[in-house]
Amino acid sequence: NYIGFSAFIHCAGLTSINITDSVTTIEHLAFFYCFSLESITIPSKVTFIGNYTFSECESLKSIYIPDSVTSIGFNSFSKCTSLANVTIGENVTSINKYAFMECSSLTSIVIPNSVTSINDAAFECCISLTNITLSENITTISLSLFSGCEKLRYINIPGKVAYIEHKAFISCISLESIIIPDSVTYMGQYVFYNCSSLASITLSKNLESIRDFSFAGCEALTSIDIPDSVTSIGEGALYYCTGLTT
């Protein structure tokens, strides 16, 4: 049993819906741009939530993703601007690209340890996000993952992370401190670009290079200890770090 592709797309007056417990699949775009939809219960047998399934449901306030779900499709909840509460089930293994992008009311979220991958820009421009607990089993902080999360003040990077991709934390203007665990060997370009409140950073002892514009515009940074493992420092890596003294 399933809810098919684009089944309720642009149903502008739909405010709530009860889905039968026998449904196992909610296909792509099923509730796309149902901008009056305030509440929906995903049945406990659903294993698949497709791409853009609830994207631009601007009135949706909370969502519970049951333990039966293993993957959250790309753009599934993007631009759900009223979405403030999200609970992710304990069997989700992947959160795909842009899944919660521009969920501007989301303040906190816990990613269960079942998750092994969070893909590009999944939380980009979640401008109210202040607290996130990451799965201990992810190995990559993906491209633009937290880009533009203006209220994020602190994040714990798990000890299995080896790669932090380009622009991962760009313009996280409230981020005050960060510890890069020794598991990290690679950090991309613009990773902490314009993190203007970043005052404290501890780099991985196994980091190979500091790439272009990695810390540009980190005006609050007063000191940085570059480990012996670093063999190159890229263009503009510490550009406009006006507070840097050592």
Side-chain angles (χ1 to χ4, degrees):
N1 291 335
Y2 66 94
I3 296 175
F5 178 83
S6 302
F8 295 93
I9 194 170
H10 282 257
C11 287
L14 186 68
T15 59
S16 65
I17 186 167
N18 292 318
I19 302 173
T20 178
D21 289 341
S22 62
V23 168
T24 60
T25 298
I26 303 176
E27 291 283 3
H28 309 311
L29 293 156
F31 296 95
F32 177 72
Y33 204 52
C34 290
F35 59 80
S36 298
L37 185 65
E38 295 180 1
S39 64
I40 189 166
T41 300
I42 299 174
S44 60
K45 292 181 181 179
V46 169
T47 59
F48 177 81
I49 298 175
N51 304 329
Y52 290 92
T53 302
F54 298 99
S55 182
E56 298 193 45
C57 290
E58 298 173 356
S59 300
L60 189 65
K61 293 177 174 63
S62 65
I63 196 77
Y64 173 76
I65 299 168
D67 290 345
S68 54
V69 174
T70 57
S71 179
I72 300 172
F74 69 78
N75 275 289
S76 289
F77 299 95
S78 62
K79 300 183 181 180
C80 290
T81 54
S82 298
L83 188 62
N85 297 294
V86 175
T87 303
I88 298 175
E90 296 292 333
N91 289 308
V92 171
T93 60
S94 63
I95 299 172
N96 285 299
K97 292 181 179 180
Y98 318 116
F100 296 96
M101 182 184 70
E102 295 185 34
C103 289
S104 55
S105 296
L106 188 64
T107 58
S108 66
I109 190 167
V110 175
I111 311 297
N113 288 334
S114 57
V115 173
T116 56
S117 66
I118 308 172
N119 293 323
D120 299 351
F123 295 96
E124 183 177 17
C125 291
C126 289
I127 59 172
S128 298
L129 188 66
T130 59
N131 184 36
I132 183 163
T133 302
L134 292 174
S135 165
E136 293 293 331
N137 292 308
I138 60 170
T139 58
T140 300
I141 304 291
S142 299
L143 176 73
S144 298
L145 184 56
F146 299 106
S147 173
C149 292
E150 297 177 351
K151 292 187 178 179
L152 189 65
R153 301 181 73 176
Y154 174 79
I155 187 167
N156 181 49
I157 298 178
K160 291 183 180 179
V161 170
Y163 305 100
I164 302 177
E165 299 287 358
H166 306 312
K167 302 180 181 180
F169 297 97
I170 194 171
S171 293
C172 289
I173 58 174
S174 298
L175 189 66
E176 296 177 350
S177 65
I178 194 85
I179 297 172
I180 310 297
D182 290 342
S183 55
V184 173
T185 59
Y186 174 89
M187 284 196 338
Q189 298 174 356
Y190 294 89
V191 172
F192 295 101
Y193 180 87
N194 197 37
C195 291
S196 54
S197 298
L198 187 63
S200 173
I201 183 160
T202 302
L203 294 175
S204 164
K205 293 177 182 177
N206 295 302
L207 186 66
E208 295 172 354
S209 66
I210 297 174
R211 287 175 168 78
D212 298 352
F213 299 96
S214 291
F215 299 102
C218 294
E219 299 171 5
L221 193 64
T222 58
S223 66
I224 186 168
D225 185 7
I226 298 173
D228 293 339
S229 58
V230 171
T231 58
S232 63
I233 299 175
E235 179 183 349
L238 293 155
Y239 172 76
Y240 214 77
C241 290
T242 54
L244 195 64
T245 58
T246 58

